[in-house]
Amino acid sequence: MKSKLLLLLLLITLVNKNQAQNNMDSLAKEAAKSEQWQPVPPVVTPGKTCGAPPSDAIILFDGKNLDNFEKKDKSKAAWTLNNDGTMTVVKGSGDIQSKEKFGSCQLHLEFKMPSDIAGSGQSRGNSGIYFMKRYELQLLDNFNNSTYSNGQVGSVYKQHIPLANPSKPPGEWQYYDIIFMRPIFSDNGIVLRPATITVFLNGILIQNNVTIYGNTVWVGAPQYEKHADKLPILLQDHGFDGGNPISFANIWVRPLEN
Ligand code: MG
């Protein structure tokens, strides 16, 4: 009698175990329905040191030459190439722009404000990164230097005040990491999707997917004007006042779809 009872218990255990396995199998089958195996994200090898370009980046400046930049009139970029792998704005020599054209992209750029402090407000360490030659992310030395908030470092010029001011002192290297999404226009120039931008300065989020309202202008209100899907990235020579010989290093871009 005792052995029969034991056999029964064993059978019940086996049935339960089987049932549990079946339940697990059907659960796994159900879970597989929401698994997405395609597309497989491309393998990208990160740069070896902080700021070094990953394997799929388009390098605009790596310290060797200024060949990937030119002036607006297509003549040679006339900023100074330093022998430490950096370049410096030459006051009055003009803005420089990438020869290659970009729409939406991820941009990494390193910069150093001049340690010989000159000027104040907008006249100290002023440059700018112009996406598509018209949407300026401000570059300014705002370390113990105040100006209007929507024109300080990290502002989308006169459109968005940055969330923070993580400026380092003049003479220290700083870095921007930016995601810029281009605007999309209809054939007749209606804005179907405005541009947006997300910005990290020295690793700190300062613009969180903000909408750009149009060209960043000094005077008046921003407005969109229809333009090509890809245009150069421009770096500003704010040369008409003092204190702006900013240096740059490690500039690279990863184009994004759409
Ligand atoms: Mg500027």
Side-chain angles (χ1 to χ4, degrees), residues 3 8 19 50 79 95 117 124 128 133 149 151 194 197 223 243:
S3 66
L8 188 64
Q19 187 63 44
C50 184
W79 292 8
D95 304 332
I117 295 171
R124 183 185 298 179
K133 294 175 69 175
S149 299
I197 193 166
Q223 266 188 338

Side-chain angles (χ1 to χ4, degrees), residues 206-254:
I206 59 164
Q207 297 288 357
N208 188 1
N209 194 32
V210 295
T211 298
I212 298 175
Y213 303 128
N215 293 2
T216 50
V217 289
W218 182 40
V219 179
Q223 266 188 338
Y224 273 111
E225 52 178 12
K226 182 174 159 63
H227 55 68
D229 291 351
K230 290 183 178 181
L231 286 166
I233 292 170
L234 180 146
L235 301 178
Q236 184 186 34
D237 164 23
H238 198 267
F240 52 81
D241 43 21
N244 301 319
I246 298 167
S247 297
F248 291 89
N250 282 333
I251 308 175
W252 50 262
V253 183
R254 297 179 67 244

